[in-house]
Amino acid sequence: GESERVLGIIGREAKRMQGLVEDLMSLSRLEAVKHDAPTEPVDIVALAREAIGEIGDTASVQLTSDADQAHVGGDRGQLAQVIRNLLDNAIKYGKPDGEITIVIEASDTGWLLLSIRDQGEGIAPDHLPRLTERFYRADASRSRSLGGTGLGLAIVKHIVERHRGRFDISSRQGSGTTASVMLPLQKNM
């Protein structure tokens, strides 16, 4: 009855607070280390496969890569978080039965491009520039019901910048959203 309902709400709010605290801690840790670029060799193709494995059957994800391995110099845990956050967003805001596409390209110019595309409703152009601001939500009521903290993309942007990369979101209303991460490839791997 009523007490279960209230307990349910308290439980959900506690979870949301926990998520928020974890995200804020992530951000403050990132700010603390943003000047030292990490150098551990990280295979982005393997990380993407792992992230897809973790979500299981909750979404249909198609991975294409022009290389079996693509190494960047980085912090494995942080790069895994980038892929997870972007994948979570694509699942959350994509079409319920739509496909999510992850493309990894290692370019001759020395960059790795990782893009994650969903087939959702897309994001209005006026929201795009602000998506990586802390707590900014294109659709507050919807993302609250989906349980986001509003910090996911801010964290992604910080991590990518720490890795001397670039992060970009492009979207067309009605035909989905693409999140793109460019990272410097590690030479001679």
Side-chain angles (χ1 to χ4, degrees), residues 15-29 81 149 151 155:
K15 256 210 176 65
R16 176 161 4 161
M17 286 300 292
Q18 185 188 355
L20 192 54
V21 169
E22 283 167 9
D23 280 356
L24 282 168
M25 301 271 297
S26 281
L27 270 176
S28 62
R29 277 196 300 269
Q81 192 175 5
T149 59
L151 288 168
I155 289 173

Side-chain angles (χ1 to χ4, degrees), residues 41-55:
V42 181
D43 176 10
I44 296 293
V45 181
L47 275 192
R49 287 204 181 103
E50 258 167 54
I52 294 169
E54 279 166 23
I55 59 169

Side-chain angles (χ1 to χ4, degrees), residues 39-139:
T39 55
E40 172 201 345
V42 181
D43 176 10
I44 296 293
V45 181
L47 275 192
R49 287 204 181 103
E50 258 167 54
I52 294 169
E54 279 166 23
I55 59 169
D57 299 334
T58 44
S60 152
V61 183
Q62 195 61 47
L63 171 69
T64 57
S65 170
D66 65 2
D68 295 334
Q69 295 181 321
H71 288 90
V72 300
D75 174 316
R76 195 170 197 284
Q78 286 188 355
L79 291 170
Q81 192 175 5
V82 163
I83 296 175
R84 256 203 317 275
N85 283 8
L86 293 178
L87 209 46
D88 283 349
N89 271 5
I91 292 168
K92 237 186 258 179
Y93 299 112
K95 272 206 312 236
D97 52 354
E99 192 164 272
I100 294 161
T101 321
I102 302 182
V103 178
I104 298 173
E105 294 169 29
S107 78
D108 301 338
T109 52
W111 288 88
L112 173 118
L113 174 67
L114 165 80
S115 63
I116 298 186
R117 194 178 91 227
D118 67 54
Q119 301 173 331
E121 293 159 24
I123 300 161
D126 46 330
H127 288 303
L128 284 172
R130 301 196 54 196
L131 285 177
T132 55
E133 288 175 19
R134 293 170 191 219
F135 301 117
Y136 183 77
R137 296 158 182 278
D139 178 349

